[in-house]
C-alpha cells in the first residue's frame, strides 16, 4: 500500500509563485512524513551490546562463552563478575527464573516451619516410601509461569510423578516422585512432615541427611563468592554477556552457630600476669635442687 501524504496547506500567492509554493510545500510534507517513518524504524532496531539468542544477523554474530569468577555486585538484573583473569564482566540475568541459582549448605537448625522444601523419593506398590529421604532442598518461591516445561513441577506444591504413564483411577502413586511443599516438622528422631499442596506427606529421613539451599535469586549471595556463567556475547566485547545460566556457590553453612568473639578484660590480663609469676616460682625450686646435686 502506498503511503498517504498529508494534504498541503496552500501558501499565500502574494509571497511566491503559485506552482513553486505548492511544489515546495509537497516536498516539505513528504520530508516530514519520511522523517517520522524512519524515526520509528530506528527505534525498532534491537540494541547491541549484550549477546542473546535473537533472530537474523544479530544471532549469527553471537559467541558462546563459559567462565568462572567472583561475585562483585548485583544491580537490578545485571551481575558484575570478576573473571579469574581479573577482568570485570557485566552479565544479564537469564530469561527463565530457574536458570539463576544460589547454592549453599544448611544445618537442621536453619529450618523453620513453613519453609518451602522439595525432595525426591521412590514409592513402592502400596504408595509408601521404599527408603528414607537423604537430601532436602530449601528453595525460594518462584512464579511457575516464569519456568518452562517440566521444571514447573519443582515449584508447584504437590506430589509429582516422574513417570508420564497414566495411572488407573484411585490407584496409589508409585515409582519416583518429587514432593514439593511447606515444611511442617523435622523431629530429632528423623520424622519429616511436609504439606504438599492439599496432600500431607510424612516420611523418615536418613541419618546422613543433606540440607541444601537452592534459591533462584541472589539476595543471599555475598561479594567474593564463586560464580559460574554460561551465555552469549557480541564480538569483540566479551565483557557484556547475556546469561543462559548463572550459579553462585558459597562455603558458608547456614544454621551454623558462629563462635563467640573473645573478650579482653583487665581481669584476664591480671590473671595472665599471676599465672606467669606462678610458673616462674614453680621453676625456681627445680633449679635450686639441680645446683645442690652438682655441689654434692
Amino acid at each position: 500500500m502506498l503511503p498517504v501524504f498529508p494534504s498541503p496547506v496552500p501558501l499565500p500567492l502574494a509571497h511566491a509563485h503559485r506552482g513553486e509554493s505548492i511544489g515546495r510545500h509537497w516536498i516539505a510534507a513528504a520530508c516530514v512524513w519520511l522523517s517520522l517513518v524512519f524515526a520509528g524504524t530506528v527505534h525498532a532496531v534491537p540494541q547491541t551490546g549484550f549477546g542473546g539468542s535473537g533472530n537474523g544477523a544479530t544471532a549469527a554474530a553471537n559467541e558462546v562463552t563459559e567462565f568462572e569468577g567472583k561475585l562483585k555486585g548485583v544491580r537490578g538484573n545485571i551481575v558484575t563478575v570478576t573473571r579469574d583473569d581479573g577482568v570485570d564482566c557485566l552479565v544479564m540475568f537469564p530469561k527463565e527464573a530457574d536458570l539463576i541459582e544460589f547454592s549453599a549448605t544448611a544445618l537442621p537448625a536453619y529450618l523453620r516451619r513453613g519453609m518451602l522444601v522439595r525432595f525426591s523419593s521412590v514409592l513402592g506398590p502400596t504408595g509408601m516410601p521404599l527408603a528414607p529421604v537423604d537430601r532436602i532442598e530449601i528453595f525460594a518461591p518462584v512464579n511457575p509461569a516464569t519456568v518452562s516445561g517440566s521444571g514447573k513441577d519443582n515449584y508447584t506444591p504437590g506430589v509429582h510423578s516422574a513417570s508420564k504413564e497414566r495411572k488407573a483411577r484411585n490407584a496409589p502413586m508409585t515409582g519416583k516422585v518429587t514432593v514439593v511443599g511447606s515444611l511442617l516438622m523435622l523431629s530429632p528422631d528423623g520424622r519429616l512432615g511436609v504439606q504438599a499442596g492439599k496432600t500431607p506427606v510424612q516420611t523418615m529421613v536418613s541419618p546422613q541427611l543433606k540440607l541444601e539451599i537452592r534459591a533462584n535469586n541472589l539476595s543471599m549471595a555475598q561479594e567474593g563468592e564463586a560464580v559460574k556463567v554460561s551465555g552469549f556475547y557480541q564480538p569483540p566485547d566479551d565483557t557484556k554477556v547475556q546469561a543462559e545460566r548463572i550459579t553462585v556457590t558459597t562455603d558458608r553453612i547456614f544454621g551454623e552457630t558462629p563462635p563467640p568473639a573473645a573478650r579482653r578484660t583487665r581481669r584476664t590480663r591480671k590473671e595472665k600476669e599471676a599465672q606467669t609469676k606462678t610458673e616462674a616460682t614453680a621453676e625456681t625450686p627445680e633449679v635450686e635442687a639441680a645446683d645442690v646435686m652438682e655441689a654434692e
Side-chain angles (χ1 to χ4, degrees), residues 272-288:
K272 287 183 178 181
E273 291 175 359
Q275 183 179 358
T276 303
K277 291 180 179 179
T278 302
E279 291 175 352
T281 304
E283 291 176 356
T284 302
E286 296 179 1
V287 174
E288 291 178 348

Side-chain angles (χ1 to χ4, degrees), residues 71-121:
L71 180 65
K72 188 172 183 179
V74 182
R75 185 171 184 180
N77 65 340
I78 302 293
V79 183
T80 303
V81 180
T82 303
R83 291 190 318 215
D84 287 343
D85 60 2
V87 176
D88 285 351
C89 296
L90 299 178
V91 182
M92 185 175 290
F93 278 12
K95 296 180 180 179
E96 295 182 11
D98 60 331
L99 297 179
I100 182 169
E101 183 179 84
F102 172 79
S103 175
T105 300
L107 297 178
Y110 179 73
L111 292 173
R112 296 291 182 273
R113 183 182 176 90
M115 280 185 169
L116 293 175
V117 297
R118 59 175 169 249
F119 60 87
S120 297
S121 183

Side-chain angles (χ1 to χ4, degrees), residues 100-112 115-118 135-141 155 210-221 247-256:
I100 182 169
E101 183 179 84
F102 172 79
S103 175
T105 300
L107 297 178
Y110 179 73
L111 292 173
R112 296 291 182 273
M115 280 185 169
L116 293 175
V117 297
R118 59 175 169 249
R135 180 171 171 266
I136 297 176
E137 291 183 351
I138 307 163
F139 68 97
Y155 304 93
K210 293 182 179 179
L211 291 173
E212 300 176 355
I213 295 173
R214 292 287 185 269
N216 298 111
N217 60 68
L218 300 183
S219 61
M220 302 171 72
T247 304
V248 179
T249 57
T250 179
D251 55 4
R252 289 179 290 140
I253 300 177
F254 288 74
E256 188 176 50

Side-chain angles (χ1 to χ4, degrees), residues 121-266:
S121 183
V122 178
L123 305 182
T126 61
M128 298 297 293
L130 297 180
V133 176
D134 59 4
R135 180 171 171 266
I136 297 176
E137 291 183 351
I138 307 163
F139 68 97
V142 168
N143 182 357
T146 62
V147 181
S148 63
S150 59
K152 295 178 185 293
D153 288 349
N154 288 330
Y155 304 93
T156 305
V159 180
H160 309 285
S161 174
S163 174
K164 303 303 179 183
E165 298 180 1
R166 299 185 65 177
K167 304 277 185 188
R169 188 174 183 180
N170 297 327
M173 188 175 293
T174 60
K176 187 175 181 179
V177 298
T178 300
V179 179
V180 182
S182 301
L183 179 67
L184 296 176
M185 70 168 186
L186 179 58
S187 64
D189 60 354
R191 290 178 297 137
L192 173 66
V194 174
Q195 185 66 40
K198 296 181 179 180
T199 306
V201 175
Q202 292 188 4
T203 185
M204 299 295 292
V205 299
S206 166
Q208 291 77 36
L209 175 68
K210 293 182 179 179
L211 291 173
E212 300 176 355
I213 295 173
R214 292 287 185 269
N216 298 111
N217 60 68
L218 300 183
S219 61
M220 302 171 72
Q222 292 185 359
E223 182 178 352
E225 293 180 330
V227 184
K228 289 184 179 180
V229 175
S230 61
F232 299 90
Y233 70 92
Q234 293 283 355
D237 188 0
D238 63 350
T239 64
K240 294 180 180 177
V241 178
Q242 170 63 61
E244 276 199 324
R245 180 177 293 275
I246 300 175
T247 304
V248 179
T249 57
T250 179
D251 55 4
R252 289 179 290 140
I253 300 177
F254 288 74
E256 188 176 50
T257 304
R263 297 180 60 186
R264 294 177 58 87
T265 62
R266 291 182 179 180

